[in-house]
């Protein structure tokens, strides 16, 4: 359990929540990792993961930085950012929260390269901030170019802190672009979406750098495509996704479970006309629910829509909280998930938060 000791308004819609451990301990994590918050909202247990925005070089407190998420313009009644907005409205100084973690492999701490290039957009800045503070605090001999894309000057999260770091540390270079600068806001930095010419000016030696990218999925896809097109060595490319569903690429990394012996298999309570076609269908064995869905859907979303309780955490294949056994059928992942070991795959375990059903699947849930 952690207790909130400070709430900092970073921008109009972004707050940093600073916590201390209760009872007090020093936090230990790698910069760039995330934690999962274990909350109860409207009487229902909810878990959500947030990148840690503080640095382990200042271990007495731990910070997460959260953007309020508006309802989609086409559905103003829908509570889009349920958890983020709840945190904004409910976490005050003195509030206690259960945290799990740290988790995640998006960190520069395991391997300290000579030159780094951080590229973020929006609240994807948080793990970059953690890594940058850690590098500056520890006096690391690493040359960092910190590229950030924000909507407008007033939306730049950590702007003053970043400017201070750039002023104090000669090997920390800051380059910010704003995509929708407003007339009444003074801005002398880059404007427009990050493009090849801009990148070449911000970091002419970008091909020599280890790159970390975090932001909305379309942003990351754009940066990845741009770098690949510029002959960047993609083995030096790292990315962390947040929010939204990844666009489906349907790469063939199907998990094939071992056959389950009849006597071990939970009894199925299927709906009256079980699907026999190849259309994606998820059968939740213990709950006795059979749901036809879209091939783009992930099993965790299908379960939640049907009220089938499944644990979850990061929702991006990194923490392992949503692991379940696949009893029949096959699933596909867009990308190789981090939180599944080879022996678990062999046993038929899947990560429901990132697993798409291929035809009819039966899941232990
Ligand atoms: S919820 Fe973290 S791996 Fe699925």
């Amino acid at each position: 359990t952690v207790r909130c000791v400070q709430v900092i308004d970073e921008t109009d819609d972004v707050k940093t929540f600073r916590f201390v451990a209760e009872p007090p301990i020093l936090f230990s994590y790698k910069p760039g990792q995330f934690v999962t918050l274990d909350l109860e909202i409207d009487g229902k247990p909810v878990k959500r993961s947030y990148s840690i925005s503080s640095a382990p070089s200042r271990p007495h407190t731990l910070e997460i930085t959260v953007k309020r998420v508006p309802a989609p313009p086409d559905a103003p009644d829908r509570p889009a950012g349920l958890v983020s907005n709840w945190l904004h409205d409910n976490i005050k100084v003195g509030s206690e929260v259960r945290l799990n973690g740290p988790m995640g492999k998006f960190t520069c701490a395991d391997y300290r390269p000579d030159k780094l290039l951080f590229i973020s957009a929006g609240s994807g800045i948080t793990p970059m901030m953690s890594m940058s503070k850690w590098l500056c605090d520890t006096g690391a001999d690493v040359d960092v170019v910190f590229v950030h894309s924000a909507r407008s000057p007033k939306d730049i999260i950590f702007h003053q802190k970043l400017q201070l770091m750039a002023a104090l540390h000669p090997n920390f270079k800051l380059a910010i672009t704003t995509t929708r600068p407003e007339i009444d806001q003074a801005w002398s930095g880059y404007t427009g979406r990050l493009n090849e010419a801009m990148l070449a000016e911000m970091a002419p030696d970008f091909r020599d750098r280890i790159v970390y990218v975090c932001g909305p999925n379309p942003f990351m896809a754009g940066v990845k495509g741009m770098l690949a097109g510029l002959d960047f060595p993609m083995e030096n490319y790292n990315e962390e996704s947040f929010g939204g569903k990844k666009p489906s690429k349907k790469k063939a990394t199907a998990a094939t479970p071992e056959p389950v012996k009849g006597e071990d298999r939970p009894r199925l309570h299927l709906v009256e006309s079980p699907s026999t076609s190849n259309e994606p269908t998820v059968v939740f064995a213990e709950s006795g629910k059979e749901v036809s869905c879209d091939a783009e859907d992930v099993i965790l979303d299908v379960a939640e829509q049907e009220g089938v309780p499944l644990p979850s955490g990061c929702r991006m294949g990194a923490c392992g909280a949503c692991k379940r056994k696949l009893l029949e059928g096959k699933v596909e992942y867009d990308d190789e998930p981090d939180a599944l070991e080879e022996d678990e795959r062999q046993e038929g375990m899947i990560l429901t938060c990132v697993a798409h059903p291929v035809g009819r699947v039966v899941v232990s849930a």
Side-chain angles (χ1 to χ4, degrees):
T1 302
V2 295
R3 177 168 50 83
C4 180
V5 291
Q6 193 176 6
V7 180
I8 303 160
D9 287 314
E10 303 286 358
T11 69
D12 289 350
D13 55 3
V14 175
K15 287 183 195 291
T16 290
F17 300 94
R18 176 175 289 166
F19 298 103
V20 292
E22 195 79 4
I25 50 155
L26 298 183
F27 292 103
S28 169
Y29 56 94
K30 291 177 184 171
Q33 286 193 300
F34 62 87
V35 286
T36 300
L37 272 56
D38 214 341
L39 305 165
E40 191 174 306
I41 300 181
D42 296 335
K44 291 193 190 128
V46 180
K47 292 184 186 214
R48 277 294 179 281
S49 299
Y50 291 93
S51 290
I52 302 168
S53 51
S54 52
S57 39
R58 305 176 198 186
H60 292 272
T61 57
L62 181 141
E63 295 169 12
I64 58 167
T65 300
V66 180
K67 184 178 193 303
R68 184 182 274 283
V69 182
D74 53 341
D77 298 336
R78 216 167 87 203
L82 173 73
V83 180
S84 297
N85 296 354
W86 186 90
L87 293 171
H88 270 245
D89 296 335
N90 292 277
I91 298 294
K92 315 268 186 252
V93 171
S95 301
E96 293 198 347
V97 178
R98 271 198 308 278
L99 279 190
N100 290 308
M103 287 168 266
K105 296 179 179 171
F106 188 72
T107 178
C108 63
D110 291 333
Y111 163 65
R112 280 205 205 185
D114 296 337
K115 291 182 176 187
L116 284 166
L117 173 57
F118 294 143
I119 304 179
S120 60
S123 42
I125 198 170
T126 52
M128 312 305 192
M129 190 61 178
S130 177
M131 291 192 272
S132 298
K133 279 196 278 200
W134 179 72
L135 290 166
C136 288
D137 282 353
T138 56
D141 187 17
V142 179
D143 185 291
V144 178
V145 176
F146 192 111
V147 174
H148 181 64
S149 174
R151 204 169 32 189
S152 74
K154 70 175 171 45
D155 294 308
I156 302 168
I157 305 168
F158 309 132
H159 196 185
Q160 286 182 338
K161 289 174 195 146
L162 287 167
Q163 285 175 318
L164 190 63
M165 281 160 66
L168 292 175
H169 301 276
N171 54 359
F172 182 86
K173 183 183 162 198
L174 179 64
I176 299 179
T177 182
T178 58
T179 53
R180 274 182 269 159
E182 287 160 23
I183 300 162
D184 57 339
Q185 293 172 36
W187 180 245
S188 56
Y190 294 92
T191 52
R193 299 199 176 282
L194 182 65
N195 57 37
E196 295 177 10
M198 223 184 256
L199 180 67
E201 208 175 302
M202 293 165 165
D205 58 350
F206 68 89
R207 287 187 191 83
D208 303 334
R209 294 175 180 270
I210 306 291
V211 173
Y212 288 80
V213 182
C214 185
N217 290 323
F219 173 82
M220 292 199 305
V223 172
K224 191 174 186 179
M226 179 174 74
L227 288 171
L230 290 169
D231 293 331
F232 178 80
M234 294 309 281
E235 65 272 19
N236 295 338
Y237 176 91
N238 304 277
E239 68 175 25
E240 178 96 308
S241 158
F242 72 87
K245 209 185 284 186
K246 281 188 170 185
S248 182
K249 286 177 275 160
K250 292 287 171 286
K251 270 198 239 143
T253 51
T256 312
E258 283 181 344
V260 179
K261 290 196 195 103
E263 58 273 27
D264 295 334
R265 191 181 304 172
R267 277 184 59 195
L268 305 184
H269 307 275
L270 302 182
V271 291
E272 274 169 24
S273 307
S275 161
T276 50
S277 74
N278 257 352
E279 83 181 31
T281 306
V282 183
V283 180
F284 297 102
E286 285 95 38
S287 322
K289 291 197 173 162
E290 175 164 339
V291 189
S292 63
C293 61
D294 196 280
E296 310 290 296
D297 289 334
V298 292
I299 291 170
L300 179 61
D301 286 348
V302 177
E304 289 177 346
Q305 279 155 22
E306 288 303 308
V308 176
L310 272 187
S312 67
C314 65
R315 305 181 80 91
M316 57 188 183
C319 74
C322 66
K323 216 174 280 173
R324 306 302 290 185
K325 185 152 190 166
L326 181 68
L327 302 172
E328 286 178 24
K330 276 203 305 192
V331 297
E332 278 183 340
Y333 301 106
D334 293 337
D335 293 302
E336 197 67 36
D338 285 339
L340 208 53
E341 302 296 336
E342 189 48 41
D343 55 337
E344 294 175 317
R345 270 173 214 274
Q346 296 296 331
E347 287 166 17
M349 302 306 285
I350 58 167
L351 295 175
T352 59
C353 69
V354 285
H356 303 278
V358 180
R360 183 173 180 277
V361 298
V362 181
V363 179
S364 168

